[in-house]
Amino acid sequence: MNTLKQKLNVAAIILFAGFFVLAANSAWANETGLPQNMTKITGQEDFIHIWTLGAEGIGDEQDKLVTVDVNPNSAKYGKVVSSVSVGGRNEAHHMGLTLDRRYLWGATLDTSKIFIFDIHTNPAHPKLVKTITDFTAKSGGVVGTHTVMPVKDHMLITGLSNNRDHGGRSAVVEYTNDGKYVATYWMPTDDNLQGAQKTGKYADGYNYDVRALPRLDAMFTSSFTGWSNYMMDFGKMLNDEQAMKRFGNTFVVWRLSDRKPLKIFDVPGAPLEIRVAINPKNDYCFTAATLTSKLWLIYRDKQNAWQAKEVGDIGDPSKVPLPVAFTISSDDRLLWVTTFMDGMVRAFNIADPFHPVQIYEKHIGSQVNMVSTSWDGKRLYFTSSLLSKWDKKGRDNEQYIKSFEWDGKELKERFVIDFTKEKLGRPHEMKFSANTLYTKL
Amino acid sequence: MTFIQKPRGALRLSVAICAFLIFMTTLLIGHVSGSEVTRGPGDVKTGYESTGYETRSISVLQRTGKAADLLRVIQSPPLGLPPIPVPKDNPITRKKVQLGRKLFFDRRLSLNETMSCAMCHIPEQGFTNNELNTAVGIEGRTVRRNAPTIYNVAFFSNIFHDGRDTRLEFQIWQPMLAFNEMGNPSIGYVVEKIRGLPDYKGLFESAFAGREPGIETIGMAIASYERTIVSGNSPFDRWYFGKNESALTEAAKRGFNLFNEKAGCSVCHLIQNDHALFTDDAFHNTGLGWKFSVGQSGAAVPVQIAPGVKILVPKKVIDSVAEPDPSDLGRYEVTQDPVDRWRYKTPTLRNVALTAPYMHNGVFGTLKEVLSFYNQGGISNPQLDPSIRPLGLTDKEMEDIVVFLESLTGDNVETLVRDAFAAPIGDRH
């Protein structure tokens, strides 16, 4: 009996592990562009953690990590189940998970602090376990922590500015998982291309998102703007001729293994988020230039050389819809992109990545920013806040998370939480978690 | 915990490899001239309006410093400048200047530790900010006006565009405490914060004969540093006061004559017999302030979205993401006299080629635009300064005046900026 029981146990373990590996590999992309070697939530996500900016006059006015129960089988479905205030308005923006998904790093564009939350002990109630307060001093002057991307047992963090002039020249900074500084990799500039090829006219040294294709030893960065611009009132900036010259126009391909820049491409108009293809046969990624409303494809050609190509418009560029966030479906066939100014989400068929075709659009709210999709593409979540000083004013300043279901033809609303009414603030980036991630395995 | 001990040979090899990598990095960083690093943003945007724009970006790592003896300028003012006024109750010393410089670059002196004086008065950007029309303060809050340059501020008793303060020692507390600049809640908060920072231990006591950080000593230290940011001995000075005929080009000489005669600029931008500060330190209404307060704006705004690409954005779209424009009545806000509505201080023109954008609201990006504005007679309004009238200058004449204005750049800019680069930037450790 014992032998049989042991055999059954071993078989169960193998079966379970095999299922897990299969699930992990089949799930890849969405949840919203997580690294390819990160465990994915292949079923129903239980919680969404929302990095929320404190808003003056709203609740305790501080940045906070808000957790919402999103499991339809839960009695608390569509409700806020916890909120962890971190002190101050730091311009909470993006977050990154450690590869084991046990910790969530919340980056901030203003004070450059990084707040590290334990989300595995009790996913419904994350706990702030460490705050990195000396990022700028340690990194040699990098300001404005943005994307946090795990690489093995380290984290790569993009900075958007610097402590010399609050402009756009910045760097990628590497930390260990336990929050120790490792190195700073400044973006290539004309006087110091660091061996990279300047393929066009621009090498501005600006930075924004970072993503990687480890199987190709490739890392990608995009370029936005410096502290003075992303922190200032949006309307004031649009009226400021000098400020409007200070946007990034570059996309850099790096060698991931030694963080060395290889090629700098001209991508005019502030390319923001980067999303890499999921299928191992697809050697490309997309980015969207927010000011020019253009979709760009960065791909390997037949000679395995990286190239950049503008492949389509998002909305009507003359109306500056401002594409701000996008996701790619796990089969690399569908791309969802939100545009802040008109509050729309658009779906593009990207089966042929060189010729995206818009197939659907829907108005989400008076303003919309982040979009996150479940791995199976059936659930989409939207938040409203772009930047504290860029959000719309007055009645159009809606602050929400909205949940939708996608049936292949139509987005149908499931729940809405009004973050102003709940006295929470301005919701920005979302990350999923699930109880099953932290049990049994 | 165990440590793996590297063999000595391997250690030496590691050191050698590190040294080689540092050497190679030095080689890889291209040569950039001193003036490129010290005169203008490293993020050069000249020509951005054109599709032919190419970046000429400079790494922030090129911003290497060299401390200078700033007291020399006090003892021996540059040619073209009068003696530098130093208040009797704050005699200038090397220790005060060094302490003031450290405070000036310390971002920890704002409530959330992101803003120092130098974040708006950026050394290589003419000790102002070439990248913004009007300043941006803590948490991105709107500041109404262009950050004025620190160059030669030692000479003025009307400080700020509206002259609301009278001494540098007092002035420093305004940005420190302003809700929309450095955002500190009180003087006591700033004093206690500095007292608690280990790297300031003993510095105030040493500079001020045993006195601790306080409302007076903090102001005195920063004022002492600012008083040394003095720049003269420009090509104009060497020509006009030094009688060196070859110091100025013929175009600049023509511009000088126009400046004094046909254009009448020197009515407000004064030139004395033995020195020139190029300001009357007084207040004038050019019409710009009036226009932005009560004038009507257009239905659409041209917005640059990429190099060489501008589009017209409807004003109602911009208004949807804009906070209400802050009111700005100029000197009136200090005197409460209606006559002073929309009057702003005449700025010095020394180093003016380095301090774009221009006017109290930074609305003009180039000197040529400023001259065009005055050439048309400013903006008509009920209180337009009587000295402002259509000038009838030709394009060539305006070009000559620009060349003259460019000759007002002092010869010690690189020294002052490199000295500023040598200051530690205060960030939370």
Side-chain angles (χ1 to χ4, degrees):
Chain A
M1 283 294 286
N2 273 348
T3 305
L4 181 60
K5 193 175 177 181
Q6 283 168 352
K7 283 179 180 173
L8 283 172
N9 280 343
V10 169
I13 290 168
I14 291 170
L15 191 64
F16 184 72
F19 170 77
F20 171 72
V21 169
L22 184 67
N25 282 305
S26 63
W28 292 136
N30 296 316
E31 331 147 39
T32 334
L34 293 175
Q36 300 202 347
N37 50 349
M38 179 181 284
T39 305
K40 304 299 188 302
I41 299 169
T42 54
Q44 170 67 49
E45 57 280 2
D46 292 318
F47 303 104
I48 291 185
H49 307 294
I50 306 163
W51 200 206
T52 302
L53 294 80
E56 290 177 72
I58 304 293
D60 68 8
E61 301 190 339
Q62 301 172 40
D63 295 345
K64 49 185 68 71
L65 186 67
V66 174
T67 299
V68 172
D69 188 324
V70 294
N71 190 329
N73 297 322
S74 167
K76 294 179 178 173
Y77 174 67
K79 305 289 182 196
V80 173
V81 292
S82 72
S83 172
V84 183
S85 294
V86 299
R89 285 183 297 280
N90 308 276
E91 198 68 28
H93 204 72
H94 282 200
M95 301 183 285
L97 294 157
T98 51
L99 267 185
D100 60 9
R101 298 190 72 138
R102 288 170 177 259
Y103 294 94
L104 181 59
W105 289 39
T108 61
L109 292 179
D110 187 10
T111 63
S112 309
K113 291 176 184 172
I114 297 173
F115 299 92
I116 303 175
F117 299 90
D118 167 355
I119 58 167
H120 67 279
T121 303
N122 183 352
H125 293 275
K127 187 179 173 188
L128 179 64
V129 293
K130 183 182 175 88
T131 303
I132 298 172
T133 59
D134 58 359
F135 176 89
T136 300
K138 280 279 195 303
S139 62
V142 179
V143 162
T145 56
H146 186 262
T147 304
V148 182
M149 182 181 81
V151 182
K152 291 185 181 171
D153 54 353
H154 284 189
M155 300 293 255
L156 289 179
I157 303 142
T158 55
L160 266 56
S161 192
N162 67 75
N163 68 354
R164 277 78 157 180
D165 61 11
H166 269 168
R169 291 170 296 165
S170 201
V172 178
V173 182
E174 186 162 356
Y175 268 70
T176 62
N177 272 8
D178 55 355
K180 292 191 175 65
Y181 169 75
V182 176
T184 300
Y185 312 100
W186 290 94
M187 304 299 290
T189 44
D190 283 299
D191 65 323
N192 186 14
L193 292 169
Q194 304 170 47
Q197 180 191 357
K198 181 180 174 183
T199 65
K201 294 184 288 188
Y202 314 137
D204 48 31
Y206 283 37
N207 198 8
Y208 186 72
D209 201 6
V210 60
R211 287 292 186 275
L213 278 171
R215 63 186 165 78
L216 301 177
D217 196 16
M219 182 171 96
F220 314 101
T221 56
S222 52
S223 56
F224 180 35
T225 192
W227 185 98
S228 295
N229 275 3
Y230 64 68
M231 288 302 297
M232 89 158 99
D233 177 73
F234 196 9
K236 169 178 160 133
M237 187 187 71
L238 292 169
N239 279 304
D240 187 325
E241 275 186 69
Q242 306 307 320
M244 288 308 297
K245 297 174 186 172
R246 264 78 196 185
F247 278 91
N249 297 295
T250 52
F251 188 100
V252 182
V253 178
W254 304 64
R255 190 163 57 222
L256 174 64
S257 52
D258 59 0
R259 331 289 193 236
K260 181 178 167 47
L262 301 175
K263 263 187 165 181
I264 307 164
F265 292 107
D266 290 357
V267 179
L272 298 186
E273 297 202 334
I274 303 166
R275 294 293 178 261
V276 297
I278 314 310
N279 188 325
K281 292 178 181 173
N282 291 339
D283 297 345
Y284 57 76
C285 63
F286 285 95
T287 189
T290 192
L291 294 178
T292 46
S293 302
K294 303 287 186 190
L295 199 57
W296 284 74
L297 183 72
I298 289 78
Y299 64 99
R300 287 212 309 177
D301 64 17
K302 287 176 182 170
Q303 286 74 44
N304 287 337
W306 287 103
Q307 307 292 352
K309 184 177 171 57
E310 181 189 316
V311 292
D313 290 341
I314 301 164
D316 179 353
S318 71
K319 293 181 177 168
V320 203
L322 225 61
V324 282
F326 71 96
T327 68
I328 299 177
S329 63
S330 56
D331 58 3
D332 289 344
R333 297 182 71 86
L334 198 60
L335 182 150
W336 291 97
V337 56
T338 53
T339 44
F340 178 78
M341 292 300 283
D342 57 12
M344 301 287 289
V345 65
R346 294 172 175 83
F348 285 83
N349 181 335
I350 53 166
D352 175 357
F354 289 89
H355 301 94
V357 178
Q358 185 180 324
I359 57 168
Y360 179 77
E361 66 179 34
K362 185 177 180 67
H363 187 254
I364 301 298
S366 61
Q367 58 186 4
V368 65
N369 184 35
M370 299 305 295
V371 53
S372 287
T373 55
S374 59
W375 79 273
D376 58 8
K378 291 180 179 173
R379 294 172 298 285
L380 284 83
Y381 302 89
F382 300 92
T383 55
S384 50
S385 178
L386 174 52
L387 290 156
S388 61
K389 298 290 189 294
W390 286 34
D391 285 353
K392 291 189 176 178
K393 311 299 190 283
R395 217 172 33 182
D396 285 345
N397 184 26
E398 295 177 354
Q399 298 295 351
Y400 58 79
I401 177 175
K402 294 186 179 183
S403 165
F404 287 84
E405 275 189 17
W406 171 247
D407 62 8
K409 293 179 180 173
E410 194 69 36
L411 280 175
K412 292 174 182 163
E413 190 173 292
R414 286 295 173 250
F415 72 79
V416 180
I417 299 175
D418 183 332
F419 269 52
T420 301
K421 195 174 172 187
E422 297 285 333
K423 309 286 186 192
L424 293 168
R426 305 171 186 270
H428 194 86
E429 215 211 350
M430 300 165 271
K431 287 282 187 270
F432 298 169
S433 70
N435 289 314
T436 50
L437 279 172
Y438 309 116
T439 55
K440 307 290 184 190
L441 293 179
Chain B
M1 189 174 286
T2 57
F3 294 91
I4 299 171
Q5 183 76 45
K6 276 190 178 179
R8 278 176 173 272
L11 192 62
R12 276 199 292 271
L13 182 64
S14 300
V15 171
I17 289 171
C18 283
F20 177 73
L21 287 175
I22 290 168
F23 173 70
M24 290 304 292
T25 304
T26 310
L27 287 183
L28 282 172
I29 296 179
H31 175 72
V32 175
S33 74
S35 64
E36 283 179 271
V37 181
T38 58
R39 297 187 185 201
D43 175 23
V44 185
K45 297 296 183 188
T46 309
Y48 200 82
E49 301 80 2
S50 156
T51 51
Y53 168 77
E54 291 193 33
T55 57
R56 299 189 300 285
S57 58
I58 301 169
S59 165
V60 296
L61 301 180
Q62 297 271 11
R63 223 171 167 270
T64 53
K66 184 182 176 190
D69 181 4
L70 297 178
L71 277 192
R72 284 181 60 188
V73 80
I74 302 286
Q75 292 149 358
S76 177
L79 182 66
L81 292 172
I84 296 159
V86 177
K88 284 182 182 170
D89 60 0
N90 187 22
I92 203 158
T93 66
R94 190 163 282 109
K95 283 184 178 175
K96 284 186 198 173
V97 171
Q98 287 172 348
L99 176 57
R101 191 183 69 166
K102 179 177 171 64
L103 291 162
F104 191 88
F105 289 90
D106 200 330
R107 300 169 77 236
R108 295 170 299 179
L109 300 192
S110 54
L111 178 63
N112 68 0
E113 307 190 330
T114 60
M115 296 297 293
S116 66
C117 308
M119 297 314 307
C120 290
H121 303 282
I122 302 163
E124 70 271 33
Q125 298 186 27
F127 283 95
T128 173
N129 187 335
N130 300 149
E131 301 182 319
L132 296 173
N133 286 4
T134 55
V136 176
I138 188 169
E139 289 192 20
R141 291 176 188 146
T142 293
V143 179
R144 298 178 297 173
R145 297 174 185 157
N146 178 257
T149 180
I150 303 297
Y151 278 124
N152 297 321
V153 73
F155 296 102
F156 308 124
S157 54
N158 285 316
I159 303 172
F160 296 113
H161 290 287
D162 55 15
R164 66 184 180 274
D165 223 327
T166 55
R167 275 186 61 174
L168 292 173
E169 281 80 358
F170 310 149
Q171 175 274 333
I172 70 106
W173 286 105
Q174 292 232 1
M176 287 260 200
L177 301 178
F179 169 78
N180 59 344
E181 296 192 44
M182 296 166 83
N184 289 297
S186 68
I187 293 169
Y189 173 88
V190 178
V191 171
E192 289 308 313
K193 189 173 207 177
I194 293 172
R195 285 184 179 182
L197 293 172
D199 48 320
Y200 282 93
K201 191 174 172 54
L203 297 183
F204 278 86
E205 291 80 355
S206 176
F208 292 98
R211 294 178 69 186
E212 294 181 336
I215 183 170
E216 280 195 327
T217 53
I218 292 168
M220 286 173 164
I222 296 176
S224 294
Y225 170 61
E226 291 177 329
R227 227 162 244 134
T228 66
I229 309 300
V230 166
S231 187
N233 195 28
S234 65
F236 161 77
D237 295 308
R238 295 195 289 277
W239 171 71
Y240 189 77
F241 298 113
K243 310 301 180 193
N244 178 354
E245 265 311 302
S246 63
L248 215 57
T249 64
E250 291 306 313
K253 289 173 189 171
R254 288 195 300 272
F256 171 76
N257 289 332
L258 290 161
F259 182 89
N260 282 293
E261 294 165 12
K262 185 175 179 180
C265 311
S266 59
V267 170
C268 298
H269 298 283
L270 304 180
I271 301 172
Q272 311 285 6
N273 289 335
D274 57 349
H275 70 268
L277 291 175
F278 292 96
T279 173
D280 56 4
D281 211 14
F283 305 88
H284 303 274
N285 176 336
T286 66
L288 270 181
W290 174 85
K291 178 189 171 189
F292 283 90
S293 283
V294 299
Q296 299 298 312
S297 53
V301 175
V303 174
Q304 181 136 22
I305 58 170
V309 183
K310 258 187 187 177
I311 59 172
L312 275 178
V313 178
K315 190 165 183 307
K316 67 177 183 183
V317 172
I318 293 181
D319 287 347
S320 73
V321 290
E323 61 191 15
D325 285 337
S327 170
D328 188 347
L329 301 178
R331 178 68 175 164
Y332 166 83
E333 294 176 6
V334 180
T335 66
Q336 300 291 290
D337 183 345
V339 169
D340 285 329
R341 284 177 296 170
W342 306 299
R343 283 182 172 172
Y344 297 91
K345 189 185 142 182
T346 310
T348 177
L349 298 181
R350 289 196 171 273
N351 290 353
V352 71
L354 308 176
T355 60
Y358 305 106
M359 314 306 276
H360 74 278
N361 56 3
V363 71
F364 299 133
T366 65
L367 290 169
K368 182 74 186 296
E369 288 174 62
V370 177
L371 281 167
S372 297
F373 170 76
Y374 283 117
N375 198 33
Q376 71 178 21
I379 295 171
S380 177
N381 73 96
Q383 290 171 238
L384 180 67
D385 195 283
S387 62
I388 297 173
R389 54 184 167 73
L391 303 174
L393 297 168
T394 65
D395 282 350
K396 179 72 173 61
E397 287 173 328
M398 286 194 283
E399 283 170 21
D400 285 344
I401 296 177
V402 169
V403 174
F404 165 67
L405 294 173
E406 289 169 346
S407 79
L408 302 181
T409 302
D411 69 345
N412 63 342
V413 166
E414 185 163 351
T415 303
L416 292 173
V417 173
R418 287 286 185 194
D419 175 79
F421 288 172
I425 296 176
D427 280 301
R428 180 186 276 222
H429 301 302

